[in-house]
Amino acid sequence: MVLASGGQDGAICLWDVLTGSRVSHVYGHRGDVTSLVCTASCIISSGLDDVICIWDRSTGIKLYSIQQEVGCGASLGVISESLLVTGGQGCVSFWDLNFGDLLQTVYLSQSGDSQGVRQLLVLDNAAIVCDFGSELSLVYVPSVLEKLD
């Protein structure tokens, strides 16, 4: 049982939940780590540097990184072991975690509003609730899940 934390110095630390001791730490960002999510096999981090890093959970080795648009790296969610969703400027994007490939981008507004998704929450049915501007948006994209089968 391991817990991950991120710091203002760009470090990601893994902690043993039972003992409270630090198991390992890595540096992956220039500045603050803003979000962390975990799957059974990897840890995904994002930072103020607009980079998303995918780490092997068992070794702590960085597998790859994804450069985001400016101001887009703060919102992360995991839909399945192989599907990541990130918030962007007026959109959410779906990524293949195995290869780092962009699968699909869904725009939240027809008006070209460039407000960023501040926070997102993945629900059990693969719907995503997005804190977008002054409202919440619900996104459900079954076509992304079908492509992974």
Side-chain angles (χ1 to χ4, degrees):
M1 293 178 35
V2 176
L3 176 73
S5 67
Q8 292 178 326
D9 60 355
I12 294 123
C13 296
L14 299 181
W15 304 88
D16 183 310
V17 174
L18 298 177
T19 66
S21 62
R22 187 174 71 185
V23 176
S24 67
H25 70 281
V26 294
Y27 289 92
H29 297 279
R30 295 178 313 276
D32 297 10
V33 175
T34 56
S35 295
L36 286 169
V37 292
C38 298
T39 70
S41 61
C42 65
I43 297 169
I44 301 113
S45 63
S46 67
L48 288 180
D49 57 1
D50 298 311
V51 173
I52 295 173
C53 297
I54 289 62
W55 308 86
D56 182 279
R57 189 172 176 156
S58 61
T59 64
I61 295 172
K62 182 164 64 170
L63 302 172
Y64 59 89
S65 59
I66 300 169
Q67 182 65 49
Q68 296 286 283
E69 293 178 25
V70 174
C72 292
S75 307
L76 299 176
V78 174
I79 294 176
S80 70
E81 264 308 299
S82 59
L83 187 60
L84 172 71
V85 61
T86 62
Q89 295 291 16
C91 65
V92 290
S93 297
F94 298 87
W95 302 86
D96 181 336
L97 274 174
N98 296 320
F99 303 104
D101 295 331
L102 176 63
L103 298 173
Q104 186 172 355
T105 298
V106 175
Y107 293 91
L108 301 173
S109 173
Q110 301 294 333
S111 66
D113 191 348
S114 63
Q115 291 188 26
V117 173
R118 290 186 300 263
Q119 196 170 29
L120 54 84
L121 173 66
V122 177
L123 304 178
D124 288 340
N125 62 352
I128 298 108
V129 178
C130 305
D131 178 359
F132 172 68
S134 61
E135 59 187 60
L136 295 177
S137 295
L138 181 66
V139 178
Y140 180 68
V141 188
S143 61
V144 172
L145 296 175
E146 291 165 7
K147 289 179 183 178
L148 292 177
D149 290 338

